Amino acid sequence: MAGKAPTEGPLTADELQLATRNRGMPLEALRYDVTPTGLHYLLTHFDIPAVDPSSWRLEVKGRVEHPLSLSLADVRARPAHTIAVTLECAGNGRARLHPRPVSQPWLVEAIGTAEWSGVPLRDVLGAAGILPGALELVFTGADHGVQGDVEQDYARSLPLAQALRPEVLLAYAMNGRPLEPQHGAPLRLVVPGWYGMAQVKWLRSIEAVSEPFEGYQQSVAYRYQDDEADRGEPVARIRVRALMIPPGYPDFLTRQRYVDAGSVLLQGRAWSGAAPVARVEVAVDGRWEDAELEPPLGEHAWRGWRYAWRATPGEHALSCRATDAAGNAQPVQQHWNYQGMGNNLVQVIPVTVRSGR
Ligand SMILES: Nc1nc2c(c(=O)[nH]1)N[C@H]1C(S)=C(S)[C@@H](COP(=O)(O)O)O[C@H]1N2
Ligand SMILES: [Mo]
């Protein structure tokens, strides 16, 4: 990434500018099974583009038998599906790395779960007829900008086998309402299980190609790299993570938490793009114990958990960590990488427990 080198320095004005455009989900919103749209996290690389839904078209082209040019009404006329999907930005946790990669400075809030409605991508691909030799599909958005000195339309590809999974949607609604401008109106891609960069917003074309796509967001950004010179490995599925609703009440400025002594129900959510969540543990001052799992919300959405804590006066550190059915567990020490991708280090919440007042 032709960006700035990682730093231990104070947050820069560039990072602050990104942080005020791209908001996280306040962690107390982990209480909702489905995140209210206005609380869902947001990440937009360039500007939210001006798209007129009445003249907008989706072009399906490249190695297809029947190129298509679909209006929004054409897309909406097809049988619709709705699924709850947890999205997370691949850069979530970046600002907690040492040294800190300079980009959108996420702590842990770049998450949300919505009910997405739309048309299975494979139905539209079926109508276009993918020709032999097609290897990947390239999804291009209507937004445009410069990143790493490269002028570009935001574009990402998916291998054909991924694109044909039945749960991959061309979504025109979020939580039962038409997509809002910031979430990709009028149509976006939703790829359950994959980190956010795959979920192309303001989608305007889908191209079947026979060579691996080498666009900036594929071959330069979104890679697990050791350093700037390392080509690295592509970022794909969401790594396992649990987060806790910070208990008690906060200090305005420091966000330090205060909890009254006694019985406290700790609650949160856990998810993984690789396999279902199998276990969540909670640690009070470093001693891990199993939390109770709630029924899953869906195959592609987070799962609730709870843990009854008897809070005793004093300073305590609360943590949670998840393990998925494939055996992936969250690290307790950082796996540093140059772009700050996939940092699923366990969350630690310091709390001050006050005796009865
Ligand atoms: N066209 C386009 N799609 C995009 C992006 C973008 O900048 N442009 N950002 C991606 C990234 S990095 C993330 S994390 C998700 C965020 O989706 P949301 O803002 O709806 O939560 O959108 C993805 N899709
Ligand atoms: Mo992202």
Side-chain angles (χ1 to χ4, degrees):
M1 262 217 317
K4 296 212 169 97
T7 178
E8 294 282 6
L11 211 66
T12 62
D14 288 351
E15 290 167 290
L16 179 59
Q17 194 162 239
L18 287 173
T20 56
R21 290 182 52 80
N22 296 306
R23 63 172 150 72
M25 186 194 78
L27 291 188
E28 59 272 30
L30 286 166
R31 72 170 73 103
Y32 307 107
D33 283 340
V34 173
T35 311
T37 302
L39 290 174
H40 194 282
Y41 89 92
L42 274 181
L43 192 293
T44 298
H45 287 70
F46 307 127
D47 291 345
I48 298 168
V51 185
D52 173 4
S54 62
S55 59
W56 171 91
R57 318 241 0 143
L58 174 68
E59 309 294 337
V60 184
K61 59 191 188 183
R63 296 194 64 85
V64 295
E65 210 171 338
H66 313 288
L68 305 174
S69 175
L70 305 174
S71 68
L72 192 54
D74 296 334
V75 176
R76 285 179 163 274
R78 295 177 162 272
H81 288 238
T82 297
I83 40 173
V85 179
T86 296
L87 295 190
E88 178 171 13
C89 181
N92 202 17
R94 172 184 291 128
R96 307 199 102 112
L97 291 172
H98 299 285
R100 182 180 81 255
V102 178
S103 181
Q104 164 67 25
W106 293 121
L107 297 169
V108 293
E109 289 90 347
I111 43 149
T113 295
E115 285 187 320
W116 300 97
S117 304
V119 174
L121 172 63
R122 70 172 181 183
D123 294 1
V124 170
L125 296 179
I130 300 293
L131 289 172
L135 184 70
E136 296 187 346
L137 292 157
V138 180
F139 301 87
T140 304
D143 49 332
H144 188 87
V146 179
Q147 194 177 339
D149 296 330
V150 179
E151 188 174 335
Q152 57 191 280
D153 294 334
Y154 186 91
R156 287 273 314 179
S157 75
L158 277 181
L160 194 55
Q162 289 298 318
L164 292 173
R165 283 161 52 211
E167 64 271 21
V168 175
L169 288 187
L170 297 174
Y172 44 72
M174 178 180 184
N175 296 339
R177 313 242 319 143
L179 283 189
E180 293 190 0
Q182 69 278 16
H183 288 295
L187 193 78
R188 79 176 302 172
L189 185 62
V190 174
V191 187
W194 283 54
Y195 274 123
M197 72 283 154
Q199 327 284 334
V200 179
K201 302 193 275 191
W202 312 293
L203 189 62
R204 61 175 179 76
S205 79
I206 303 175
E207 184 176 6
V209 296
S210 52
E211 298 291 330
F213 176 59
E214 291 288 335
Y216 185 90
Q217 303 296 338
Q218 201 82 24
S219 60
V220 184
Y222 298 106
R223 303 190 75 91
Y224 293 110
Q225 288 171 285
D226 293 337
D227 54 40
E228 194 176 8
D230 177 19
R231 174 151 165 88
E233 290 296 320
V235 172
R237 285 180 176 269
I238 299 176
R239 289 181 170 172
V240 64
R241 190 200 288 273
L243 287 176
M244 185 186 302
I245 301 174
Y249 43 95
D251 176 80
F252 162 67
L253 189 63
T254 63
R255 308 304 298 178
Q256 167 68 26
R257 310 296 307 185
Y258 297 98
V259 172
D260 293 333
S263 135
V264 177
L265 187 62
L266 301 178
Q267 286 180 282
R269 308 267 171 190
W271 60 94
S272 166
V277 168
R279 183 180 192 192
V280 173
E281 296 158 281
V282 168
V284 178
D285 304 324
R287 280 181 307 277
W288 292 100
E289 284 188 30
D290 279 308
E292 190 186 322
L293 290 177
E294 289 168 9
L297 186 64
E299 226 184 303
H300 306 291
W302 56 24
R303 188 166 182 182
W305 59 263
R306 52 180 61 218
Y307 177 87
W309 176 39
R310 186 141 291 279
T312 54
E315 303 298 320
H316 297 285
L318 306 178
S319 300
C320 56
R321 73 175 177 206
T323 304
D324 70 21
N328 302 299
Q330 288 181 252
V332 288
Q333 273 171 0
Q334 71 174 15
H335 293 170
W336 193 88
N337 61 84
Y338 189 74
Q339 296 184 28
M341 295 285 144
N343 177 23
N344 61 342
L345 190 67
V346 297
Q347 175 194 23
V348 181
I349 305 179
V351 298
T352 302
V353 178
R354 293 174 158 175
S355 48
R357 288 170 302 146

